[in-house]
Amino acid sequence: MRLTIVGSGDAFGSGGRFNTCFWLETAKATLLVDCGASSLVALKARGLDHGKVDGIVLSHLHGDHFGALPFLLIEAQLVMRRERPLTIAGPPGSRARIEAAIEVLFPGALTNRWRFPFEIVEIEPGRPAQILGHAVTTAEVAHQSGAPSTALRISDGKKLFAYSGDTAWTDALMSVADGADLFIVECFGYAGVLKGHLSWEILKPKLPSLRARRIMLTHMNPSMLAKVEEARAAGLAIAEDGMVVEI
């Protein structure tokens, strides 16, 4: 697996970072994991052609994690004239929310004849799924998004990528991280109890229970961005836009 961090920012672009979007290349397919509102711009800034993407896996349905999808789909249809199929997988409720977003932003687009088939698959938390040859499992986490918010485990049979999505602390993260070659976990703030998010103060004492080979922090607000050296000193990696990681 090869990971390119297209965007590692929070919802508000703190630190000038793009919204969450991970480009994951495996021997079986090229996947996007989340596709936040600024992701189409971020992909182009990195020279990454979304026409090569086979599937998109969404952790949850907030705009900073799926908001670029309507723009990506419309560009694929009208500009790139894509013909290859595209699979979009997300939590229950994904189909209605994605279709509603397309209709709000591009009225009538859903009634057009699409040049390429795209399938929206809804993954029930806790129920294993197969997405383009990858074993995908999700766990519901503690984050309000109008539908289940999930953490993800994606395996190509050789390597395992795990991602917390957005969440406050929940013991579900221990099983999500367990045995992962890379676990990316949100750490929105530096201190305090944050509704629906983790702080370094909460996460740090939990690190021994997260049995992944490598742990990387993402989705940080200014208070955490100012303290990233503390996380590095604790042995964690820090996500940066444009970073490439061999898993």
Side-chain angles (χ1 to χ4, degrees):
M1 283 186 178
R2 189 170 193 254
L3 172 72
T4 301
I5 299 175
V6 180
S8 61
D10 61 8
F12 315 113
S14 295
R17 294 165 177 241
F18 289 112
N19 294 152
T20 299
C21 184
F22 306 126
W23 177 286
L24 189 63
E25 297 172 82
T26 79
K28 297 181 177 181
T30 296
L31 305 175
L32 289 186
V33 179
D34 282 353
C35 189
S38 59
S39 296
L40 189 57
V41 177
L43 286 164
K44 294 182 178 185
R46 301 294 165 212
L48 295 170
D49 176 8
H50 67 78
K52 297 178 180 178
V53 171
D54 302 293
I56 300 171
V57 183
L58 303 175
S59 66
H60 68 289
L61 301 174
H62 273 154
D64 59 318
H65 292 262
F66 90 107
L69 267 181
F71 300 91
L72 185 150
L73 292 171
I74 295 298
E75 184 183 40
Q77 166 80 350
L78 299 180
V79 179
M80 302 174 75
R81 306 176 77 83
R82 179 181 177 126
E83 296 182 354
R84 298 173 58 223
L86 178 68
T87 299
I88 302 168
S94 290
R95 178 182 299 278
R97 290 277 287 280
I98 291 168
E99 290 181 349
I102 294 170
E103 184 60 26
V104 165
L105 295 169
F106 298 98
L110 288 173
T111 64
N112 291 336
R113 181 180 177 184
W114 288 82
R115 298 178 183 278
F116 65 100
F118 67 90
E119 177 188 21
I120 300 175
V121 178
E122 298 187 352
I123 303 174
E124 291 285 344
R127 180 174 296 177
Q130 286 287 323
I131 304 296
L132 298 170
H134 298 80
V136 179
T137 56
T138 69
E140 188 164 0
V141 293
H143 188 73
Q144 294 278 340
S145 63
S149 292
T150 63
L152 311 171
R153 287 166 62 89
I154 301 174
S155 173
D156 65 356
K158 296 180 179 179
K159 297 290 185 177
L160 175 59
F161 169 83
Y163 168 49
S164 70
D166 284 2
T167 183
W169 176 259
T170 168
D171 287 349
L173 295 178
M174 293 188 290
S175 59
V176 171
D178 191 27
D181 294 285
L182 176 65
F183 177 47
I184 299 183
V185 58
E186 78 119 277
C187 189
F188 183 61
Y190 179 67
V193 176
L194 309 175
K195 184 177 180 180
H197 290 285
L198 283 164
S199 70
W200 179 240
E201 180 182 21
I202 299 296
L203 178 62
K204 185 177 180 180
K206 304 288 190 181
L207 292 175
S209 68
L210 300 176
R211 295 186 297 273
R213 290 179 176 83
R214 284 187 286 175
I215 299 175
M216 178 182 289
L217 300 187
T218 192
H219 205 274
M220 295 166 283
N221 73 12
S223 72
M224 187 59 206
L225 288 170
K227 300 288 187 177
V228 293
E229 293 308 319
E230 288 190 27
R232 286 196 174 100
L236 275 63
I238 304 298
E240 303 280 355
D241 290 7
M243 178 186 288
V244 178
V245 180
E246 298 292 338
I247 300 176

